[in-house]
Amino acid sequence: MEHDRSISIELLEFWHYAEGLQRELRSGTLSNDRAESVAEHSWRMSIMAMVIAPKLHLKIDITRTLKMIIIHDITEIEAKDIPSFEHFFNKKIAEKKKEKEKLAIIHLRKKFKNITSEIEKLWIEFEEQNSPEAKFVKALDKLDSRIQVIDGSSTGKWSEDKILKYTQLRNVTAKLCSIDSILKELEELSGKERKKKYGF
């Protein structure tokens, strides 16, 4: 079957573009003290979704879920990663983050108009949290961030302000994980692990 060569050129350009998620670093570190990339975060979410999905009472489409995980942070190639403990507690930062991400998805659509329709739809679905898959991915997103804090190389020297913020964020994660018993249990177990390591 013949393909329009321009599509192949666009696919190749997008392939290069997607490397941006490998370059974009998150605030956390890995256990070897190296900064974690956004792509690595999405990869671990994907593998955990695959093994957790059969245990869920929640009915989800695993293919759709994995696609959503892969692209849920796609706008961070341009908008950059902003840690939850920064934007969650600062309305101005949160609004600026949303604005940058919306501009990034618009730019993505214009730059790769032949191949990003599904990506944009999945990204919007995740942002709007209007499906079981989106809710599951959001819970995994927050759980993975917590697990990385536990796995990370931090020595546990935390300011009182940061401890307070992380404690509040734990309540957010607990609420997101309340959609299914296995997620609730994982949230509780990981919360105990973090408390054992850091004391909160």
Side-chain angles (χ1 to χ4, degrees), residues 81-134:
D81 176 72
I82 300 175
S84 294
F85 60 82
E86 289 185 21
H87 69 78
F88 186 81
F89 300 97
N90 188 311
K91 189 176 179 181
K92 285 185 178 179
I93 292 176
E95 288 175 351
K96 193 171 183 180
K97 175 180 179 291
K98 279 195 172 294
E99 183 181 342
K100 283 184 175 181
E101 289 176 348
K102 285 179 181 177
L103 289 173
I105 204 72
I106 290 169
H107 180 246
L108 189 72
R109 183 203 310 147
K110 289 179 179 178
K111 186 175 177 66
F112 304 106
K113 59 184 178 181
N114 293 304
I115 61 174
T116 54
S117 175
E118 185 179 20
I119 290 173
E120 183 177 3
K121 287 175 183 175
L122 286 167
W123 183 81
I124 291 170
E125 183 180 330
F126 173 73
E127 288 295 308
E128 294 182 347
Q129 287 291 288
N130 58 9
S131 69
E133 289 80 9

